[in-house]
Amino acid sequence: GGSGGTSIINLEDQVLSGAFQIPNTFPCGTLLRVVNNTGTNNLAVTLPSASDFDSGYYITVNIYRGASGSYDSVNTIILYPKSGDTLFDGAIASLSMQQYWGVTCVSDGSSNWIFVNKGRT
């Protein structure tokens, strides 16, 4: 797999205009913690190209819900592969994640993201 320590990156959809492209500069093991709190729209998150990384590189996307009142309405996060890539050997086109979900995506080093962990966090 990749090298480097885990870093946590927090995203709030009100600054993302409903879409976010994960850059290929995130180190292996990054936890992308999405705070989705506008109360009106789903948030589209697109993975970087799997071929930008060695086989075994992984990133975790987590839906976070805070305790304050501003986080009362948490919408769906839809996880997409970058154009030309597939998710789960092409079996699915996207993954709809609900509140408290987390998914770990592992690159196969070519054009596929494999989910090794998916479920509630």
Side-chain angles (χ1 to χ4, degrees), residues 52-75:
D52 286 345
F53 308 101
D54 292 333
S55 178
Y57 169 92
Y58 69 97
I59 186 168
T60 300
V61 179
N62 173 257
I63 311 300
Y64 176 74
R65 180 173 173 158
S68 73
S70 64
Y71 300 130
D72 285 345
S73 181
V74 180
N75 298 300

Side-chain angles (χ1 to χ4, degrees), residues 98-118:
Q98 304 294 326
Q99 67 183 359
Y100 303 118
W101 273 36
V103 62
T104 299
C105 310
V106 180
S107 170
D108 69 355
S110 63
S111 63
N112 191 42
W113 287 99
I114 300 163
F115 300 151
V116 295
N117 180 37
K118 182 180 80 164

